Amino acid sequence: MMRFLKYIVFAALFIAYFLCYQGALSHVIIYHEQHHLFLFSSAYFHRTVLSEGFLSYATNFFIQFFFYPAWGSTLLAFLLAGVYYLTDRLYRIVFKSEDLMQLAVIPSLALFLHTMSVDHTLNIVTGSFFALLLANMLLSVAGRFVNINPAIVRFLPKRKVIRIGIVCLFLALYTAGGYYYFIKQYNVSERIMLRTDQFAKAKQWDKVMEYTENYLRRGRSNQLISYYHNMALYHAGQMPYRLFDYPQALGVKGLYFPWNANSRESEYGHVLYEELGHLNEAHRWEFEAMVVWGETAPHLLNLARYNLAVQRPQVAQRFINVLKQSLFYSDAACSLEQQSKKASDELPYNALIGVNDVPARFSNVV
């Protein structure tokens, strides 16, 4: 058993991480994919490496595969389980013995818990994996010529049963500690808000209703939840009857996001204006969001759609050209390019189409 232990623990960690990213942490995979866009271009390479470093470039390369959540969960689980395997192998090379206390589990588990919050970068995960891989390669060569520290072997128990008992004890401790920390740190509100936002942008309004009501039933008040809940009521044709099922503690701000130049809020304001057909205002919000978050797929797609709908195809082409350099959004970009050449029902509704824009019109959502 001891001979195959590292493979058993690696498999167990991989499965546990994969199930978490497919379940309780599924919003993490989608969030990172929506906030990073890897482009196959020399300009992107030089810009990213010079401004953020090669590690960010490598991390963005991996994150592009999060486009398919199952792929993203598999890849992230493999990197985290790989950290365990490489740390265990490093321990064996250095100490010429088995890792009975399974210390190699600690960095892998710590990195997994680090990924629980979407505000934490994944650079540290990819950086740790590649650093350990390099260290293993170097020490594999050096270890052949230098007996680094064999003295520890004298203090290890000889009996196999005792060794297995020590391993099981420490694995149980790590499992219990990791589970306790996971439960204590797990942010249910963050998951509800992010999943609500993801469903709203996918126009799955029944799911939006389900998640927002789950939040509001707890007696909580949140502007994003109220915003999307009221929008879901509108799409369900229930707004006149159910608007006051829950206290509108935020007043009129439960219906829209006022412009506060807030970087976090900039991602959400465009949804209402798109639904109302006020595409110039939706464009303004999305452009500001792109300034804050960079040229990510959601912003580029929306900016292209809005410009096509208001008959600015050359402006739309600028955003389409960027998307065409990506792996998973190039088809969507080509589809938009085709829509620029002919009328399409798939473009957003423009409430001001055919309206004379002189004098200038200003929209006031209140």
Side-chain angles (χ1 to χ4, degrees), residues 263-279:
S263 62
R264 179 66 69 180
E265 293 179 356
S266 66
E267 288 196 277
Y268 312 120
H270 74 95
V271 182
L272 174 65
Y273 293 102
E274 179 180 336
E275 295 298 320
L276 295 174
H278 290 230
L279 299 186

Side-chain angles (χ1 to χ4, degrees), residues 347-365:
L347 295 175
Y349 163 66
N350 182 7
L352 299 180
I353 191 168
V355 175
N356 188 356
D357 61 356
V358 180
R361 290 177 172 270
F362 296 88
S363 59
N364 186 331
V365 72

Side-chain angles (χ1 to χ4, degrees), residues 175-247:
T175 302
Y179 179 76
Y180 175 78
Y181 185 89
F182 182 89
I183 295 299
K184 291 289 288 184
Q185 296 298 316
Y186 185 67
N187 192 334
V188 178
S189 297
E190 180 182 74
R191 172 177 169 78
I192 292 175
M193 285 188 286
L194 288 176
R195 291 298 282 167
T196 299
D197 178 56
Q198 290 156 10
F199 286 128
K201 290 175 179 176
K203 300 191 183 301
Q204 298 181 28
W205 298 108
D206 55 336
K207 286 289 188 180
V208 172
M209 187 82 75
E210 177 186 335
Y211 272 82
T212 54
E213 289 193 339
N214 184 21
Y215 188 98
L216 293 170
R217 283 196 198 102
R218 305 180 184 196
R220 299 179 180 179
S221 176
N222 176 276
Q223 185 176 7
L224 183 66
I225 294 296
S226 296
Y227 175 71
Y228 281 137
H229 180 70
N230 292 330
M231 207 173 295
L233 289 176
Y234 160 73
H235 278 281
Q238 299 176 17
M239 179 175 272
Y241 317 107
R242 298 186 54 196
L243 181 62
F244 297 105
D245 281 5
Y246 303 99

Side-chain angles (χ1 to χ4, degrees), residues 82-95:
V83 167
Y84 159 78
Y85 182 84
L86 293 172
T87 305
D88 179 82
R89 191 171 184 275
L90 207 59
Y91 183 98
R92 293 169 185 270
I93 293 173
V94 172
F95 296 109

Side-chain angles (χ1 to χ4, degrees), residues 284-298:
R284 171 175 172 264
W285 276 88
E286 273 291 48
F287 199 90
E288 293 289 348
M290 186 181 68
V291 171
V292 173
W293 298 98
E295 292 184 332
T296 60

Side-chain angles (χ1 to χ4, degrees), residues 33-92:
E33 192 278 329
Q34 293 284 283
H35 287 79
H36 297 83
L37 181 65
F38 184 87
L39 302 177
F40 289 90
S41 72
S42 58
Y44 174 80
F45 172 79
H46 292 298
R47 182 174 69 250
T48 305
V49 171
L50 289 175
S51 61
E52 302 175 44
F54 185 79
L55 186 58
S56 290
Y57 181 82
T59 303
N60 291 347
F61 176 81
F62 286 123
I63 289 177
Q64 72 176 321
F65 297 101
F66 290 14
F67 180 83
Y68 297 106
W71 290 15
S73 301
T74 301
L75 180 57
L76 194 51
F78 175 80
L79 290 174
L80 290 168
V83 167
Y84 159 78
Y85 182 84
L86 293 172
T87 305
D88 179 82
R89 191 171 184 275
L90 207 59
Y91 183 98
R92 293 169 185 270

